Amino acid sequence: MAADQRPKADTLALRQRLISSSCRLFFPEDPVKIVRAQGQYMYDEQGAEYIDCISNVAHVGHCHPLVVRAAHEQNQVLNTNSRYLHDNIVDYAQRLSETLPEQLCVFYFLNSGSEANDLALRLARHYTGHQDVVVLDHAYHGHLSSLIDISPYKFRNLDGQKEWVHVAPLPDTYRGPYREDHPNPAMAYANEVKRVVSSAQEKGRKIAAFFAESLPSVGGQIIPPAGYFSQVADPRVSHLLCHRHIRKAGGVFVADEIQVGFGRVGKHFWAFQLQGKDFVPDIVTMGKSIGNGHPVACVATTQPVARAFEATGVEYFNTFGGSPVSCAVGLAVLNVLEKEQLQAHATSVGSFLMELLGQQKIKHPIVGDVRGVGLFIGVDLIKDEATRTPATEEAAYLVSRLKENYVLLSTDGPGRNILKFKPPMCFSLDNARQVVAKLDAILTDMEEKVRSCETLRLQP
């Protein structure tokens, strides 16, 4: 029986029997059975069309014909490992290098963002000779054991924090210690990193790397204040900063672009570029959107970092990373981004969506903050304006109602109260209007039926 012909209840029963419950579904109370997708739309087994607001993996659109064709045509000719000389891998590396600062000129190809971040950790440790890592609170960098260890989002629910991991406050200007009214939040949050590094050094620890998502996603769709990365990485940007920052401490800066790279922020191709033209990470990791659903990932780094890794004499080989098909897919994604001008599209549609959501903030008290850039946007739902208490239950209810109205959205953040918008880059102005109109209608209905923002119980 074809998968789309099996009754939804039977598929769910099979999944519950065969797949671990640790592998969770969206909308577990009433899962959606998706059998087809195209562009920014997904279709269930009944043919119902949903607007997809969360699939940043399908970067240029689900099943984009040019990407599908590139994979198919290369698959018909050759798909093997990267130990054979082939044009695709060098052509792809060349194209990627044209999007990055010139210092980032050595590439490793892999299968997933987790593999990329694991390799970045290895590169950092070989280059510096140090072990320890500084990360941001609530960060998530992947599911490998090495990355669970540097992901507070995960390790706090597992084995806890290792002695070689040091956690700095998330640079959140809405909920963090330094907020929108602070005169220099970038400096203040950078000084928190200085404090963390100094504390580690006083214990005899040596810093190998500072890992940060260029725009923290799991942490709540956070937009770090401009200049924060530069001040964390290199204190020479300001005479006021202590010498014990990341590079002065002998560490390297790893920018995790897995969620937000490839033009999603609109203004720039890479989200780390939002921090200023003079800021250049030592290592950049890529995944998810890089292959539009095909398992591709990449690490870009500098010649000195790569040479230190090479000096070990240990080969780096990845069975599927850098294969002719994977690189053909990667090239096709870059071609579509350029041909369809999707980076500029992200700017225009994202700005329009932010404007519409800003109107919702004025209209509905539950909307505490709207933040974002390009097609990376978060809507922070609150119970109370003064305390900014996360409206966790309300957010879950709202997402469920949106699903009933054929809009796929999800929540994130420590309080699971941030509506996260990371749609395929072909998401349109009309999609923005439709989604916000439905959001408005549901919020209005909630306000009419709900006693207050503190509970979802209906009025008697």
Side-chain angles (χ1 to χ4, degrees):
M1 179 185 296
D4 59 347
Q5 295 174 345
R6 179 183 292 123
K8 176 179 167 180
D10 291 354
T11 301
L12 181 59
L14 278 171
R15 181 181 173 106
Q16 290 172 337
R17 179 163 63 86
L18 298 170
I19 307 299
S20 169
S21 61
S22 297
C23 304
R24 297 174 183 172
L25 290 163
F26 283 135
F27 318 109
E29 73 289 345
D30 182 26
V32 184
K33 184 177 181 181
I34 296 296
V35 300
R36 184 170 66 88
Q38 189 70 48
Q40 65 272 45
Y41 302 104
M42 304 185 86
Y43 302 87
D44 68 15
E45 80 283 8
Q46 301 297 325
E49 180 181 270
Y50 296 79
I51 301 175
D52 181 3
C53 297
I54 50 178
S55 291
N56 59 331
V57 173
H59 192 56
V60 299
H62 292 280
C63 303
H64 194 289
L66 295 183
V67 178
V68 172
R69 185 185 311 147
H72 176 63
E73 290 179 352
Q74 183 57 56
N75 249 322
Q76 289 182 307
V77 178
L78 174 71
N79 194 24
T80 187
N81 63 60
S82 60
R83 281 195 172 116
Y84 296 100
L85 197 61
H86 197 275
D87 286 338
N88 284 10
I89 189 170
V90 292
D91 289 345
Y92 188 34
Q94 178 65 36
R95 286 285 298 280
L96 285 174
S97 72
E98 293 166 1
T99 71
L100 289 160
E102 62 181 1
Q103 298 97 312
L104 295 165
C105 59
V106 182
F107 298 85
Y108 302 84
F109 292 105
L110 317 90
N111 305 304
S112 70
S114 289
E115 283 192 343
N117 279 336
D118 180 73
L119 177 58
L121 182 59
R122 290 176 60 191
L123 290 170
R125 286 173 165 167
H126 278 292
Y127 178 67
T128 64
H130 300 167
Q131 178 77 6
D132 290 26
V133 176
V134 178
V135 295
L136 296 176
D137 205 0
H138 309 299
Y140 175 62
H141 293 289
H143 62 79
L144 301 180
S145 295
S146 61
L147 305 176
I148 295 295
D149 287 344
I150 64 170
S151 297
Y153 168 72
K154 290 289 187 181
F155 70 57
R156 290 213 167 99
N157 296 315
L158 294 169
D159 297 331
Q161 185 173 338
K162 300 292 194 295
E163 64 176 356
W164 53 269
V165 177
H166 312 280
V167 179
L170 187 68
D172 180 354
T173 57
Y174 183 70
R175 293 187 173 280
Y178 311 108
R179 299 187 173 183
E180 64 272 14
D181 57 351
H182 192 280
N184 193 342
M187 174 77 74
Y189 280 112
N191 279 334
E192 289 293 323
V193 177
K194 175 189 71 175
R195 178 186 58 78
V196 169
V197 171
S198 297
S199 175
Q201 290 180 322
E202 287 168 3
K203 298 173 185 175
R205 312 299 306 189
K206 294 183 178 180
I207 305 300
F210 177 86
F211 263 76
E213 296 170 271
S214 298
L215 297 176
S217 179
V218 170
Q221 303 290 96
I222 303 300
I223 312 298
Y228 168 69
F229 281 177
S230 295
Q231 295 180 28
V232 166
D234 192 340
R236 289 173 295 181
V237 300
S238 171
H239 69 281
L240 296 175
L241 294 175
C242 174
H243 72 281
R244 290 178 175 178
H245 280 59
I246 298 303
R247 285 175 179 156
K248 286 295 183 182
V252 297
F253 194 108
V254 180
D256 180 339
E257 289 272 337
I258 291 163
Q259 295 268 17
V260 293
F262 293 89
R264 175 161 296 278
V265 301
K267 296 177 182 179
H268 302 283
F269 200 79
W270 303 105
F272 72 77
Q273 293 169 321
L274 292 166
Q275 292 289 317
K277 60 182 177 62
D278 294 329
F279 172 68
V280 179
D282 301 285
I283 302 171
V284 174
T285 58
M286 313 167 201
K288 294 189 184 297
S289 56
I290 187 174
N292 210 57
H294 187 85
V296 186
C298 180
V299 175
T301 191
T302 64
Q303 287 282 0
V305 172
R307 296 295 172 258
F309 192 61
E310 292 162 7
T312 65
V314 177
E315 176 191 19
Y316 179 78
F317 173 67
N318 188 302
T319 303
F320 304 108
S323 74
V325 170
S326 292
C327 291
V329 167
L331 283 164
V333 171
L334 294 179
N335 289 338
V336 173
L337 284 167
E338 184 176 324
K339 179 181 179 182
E340 299 183 8
Q341 299 181 313
L342 291 179
Q343 185 178 333
H345 181 79
T347 296
S348 60
V349 177
S351 296
F352 181 65
L353 180 55
M354 284 279 289
E355 180 183 342
L356 294 180
L357 291 169
Q359 294 169 7
Q360 298 303 300
K361 181 178 183 294
I362 295 169
K363 185 175 181 180
H364 301 289
I366 194 174
V367 180
D369 189 38
V370 176
R371 52 183 176 262
V373 57
L375 286 173
F376 178 89
I377 297 171
V379 178
D380 197 317
L381 302 184
I382 58 173
K383 291 179 181 290
D384 177 81
E385 185 176 4
T387 62
R388 301 181 179 181
T389 303
T392 304
E393 297 82 6
E394 292 84 348
Y397 176 78
L398 178 57
V399 164
S400 178
R401 288 283 304 275
L402 282 167
K403 187 260 289 184
E404 294 170 3
N405 284 269
Y406 305 103
V407 173
L408 301 179
L409 197 63
S410 64
T411 60
D412 231 326
R416 304 298 302 180
N417 65 303
I418 315 298
L419 305 180
K420 59 177 180 180
F421 289 83
K422 296 184 292 184
M425 294 276 278
C426 48
F427 188 84
S428 70
L429 294 171
D430 190 52
N431 294 147
R433 291 188 192 95
Q434 293 177 58
V435 169
V436 176
K438 292 180 178 183
L439 178 68
D440 182 25
I442 295 168
L443 288 175
T444 300
D445 182 63
M446 288 170 64
E447 289 165 354
E448 291 174 353
K449 294 180 177 178
V450 175
R451 189 190 309 276
S452 73
C453 283
E454 296 178 359
T455 177
L456 286 175
R457 289 176 298 181
L458 298 181
Q459 294 183 17

